């Protein structure tokens, strides 16, 4: 059975929560009869009562920070120079029969193959996957190679595929 808010209960609620500034949990315990903390907070909110100590304070004026001159980073060599590059996107062997990415089934590889002829027409590998993964074993191994980085040419190819897909 739910608690009925009588005028006496509302008076006690106002006295305990607003005037005496008890927490919602302590107010609920003091009211008894199975009143919960959430019931107290809900009733306070519906009635629009506010406690002075919980009123939002105006933000303090921000202190002006001294600006430091920004020096651009200059690389003498590529930050990825010591890493193993990924294979070229168009030279990855496809194990399964490629299908549109949207037509692949559960348990088929989602690795993108080639470049789409038109937006929304990206092909995927569709080879069988092991377990609940999204890629076949060969493409999964390719995706988790340690210390790999894309070359600028590969980054441009990926960006072009993304532009065509939108």
């Amino acid at each position: 059975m739910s608690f009925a808010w009588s005028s006496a209960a509302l008076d006690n609620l106002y006295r305990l929560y607003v005037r005496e500034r008890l927490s919602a949990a302590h107010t609920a315990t003091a009211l008894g009869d199975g009143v919960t903390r959430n019931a107290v907070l809900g009733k306070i909110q519906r009635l629009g009562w506010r406690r002075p100590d919980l009123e939002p304070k105006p933000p303090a004026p921000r202190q002006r920070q001294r600006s430091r001159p920004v020096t651009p980073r200059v690389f003498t060599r590529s930050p990825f120079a010591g890493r193993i590059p990924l294979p070229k996107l168009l030279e990855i062997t496809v194990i399964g029969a490629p299908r549109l990415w949207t037509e692949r089934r559960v348990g088929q590889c989602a690795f993108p193959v080639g470049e789409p002829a038109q937006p929304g027409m990206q092909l995927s590998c569709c080879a069988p996957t092991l377990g609940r993964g999204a890629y076949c074993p060969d493409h999964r191994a390719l995706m988790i190679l340690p210390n790999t980085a894309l070359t600028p040419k590969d980054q441009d190819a990926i960006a072009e595929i993304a532009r065509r897909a939108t």
Side-chain angles (χ1 to χ4, degrees):
M1 185 171 157
S2 64
F3 178 77
W5 289 99
S6 65
S7 61
L10 290 175
D11 290 339
N12 287 336
L13 175 65
Y14 187 80
R15 179 180 52 81
L16 294 169
Y17 188 77
V18 178
R19 287 190 190 155
E20 295 181 13
R21 297 182 179 167
L22 292 180
S23 68
H26 288 109
T27 302
T29 304
L31 289 174
D33 292 332
V35 178
T36 63
R37 172 187 170 274
N38 286 341
V40 168
L41 291 173
K43 192 62 173 180
I44 293 289
Q45 183 177 8
R46 285 190 299 278
L47 293 172
W49 293 344
R50 301 275 183 248
R51 285 187 4 191
D53 61 335
L54 297 180
E55 287 292 321
K57 296 177 184 172
R62 296 181 75 187
Q63 294 180 355
R64 186 178 174 118
Q65 296 179 355
R66 292 187 299 164
S67 61
R68 289 181 266 146
V70 177
T71 56
R73 277 180 83 182
V74 179
F75 291 104
T76 56
R77 63 182 201 140
S78 170
F80 302 112
R83 299 184 181 199
I84 304 169
L86 289 174
K88 294 179 183 173
L89 291 176
L90 299 177
E91 295 180 7
I92 296 172
T93 58
V94 178
I95 302 160
R99 288 191 192 145
L100 286 176
W101 190 83
T102 55
E103 294 178 358
R104 67 183 179 85
R105 297 186 185 109
V106 175
Q108 291 183 334
C109 181
F111 195 85
V113 176
E115 294 190 28
Q118 53 186 317
M121 302 297 286
Q122 177 66 52
L123 297 177
S124 63
C125 172
C126 292
T129 61
L130 298 176
R132 300 178 67 186
Y135 302 113
C136 62
D138 293 335
H139 287 132
R140 180 169 176 75
L142 177 69
M143 296 299 287
I144 60 172
L145 284 174
N147 299 325
T148 58
L150 296 174
T151 64
K153 185 177 178 182
D154 290 337
Q155 290 175 357
D156 292 340
I158 291 170
E160 183 62 30
I161 291 171
R163 277 192 294 275
R164 289 182 187 170
T166 57

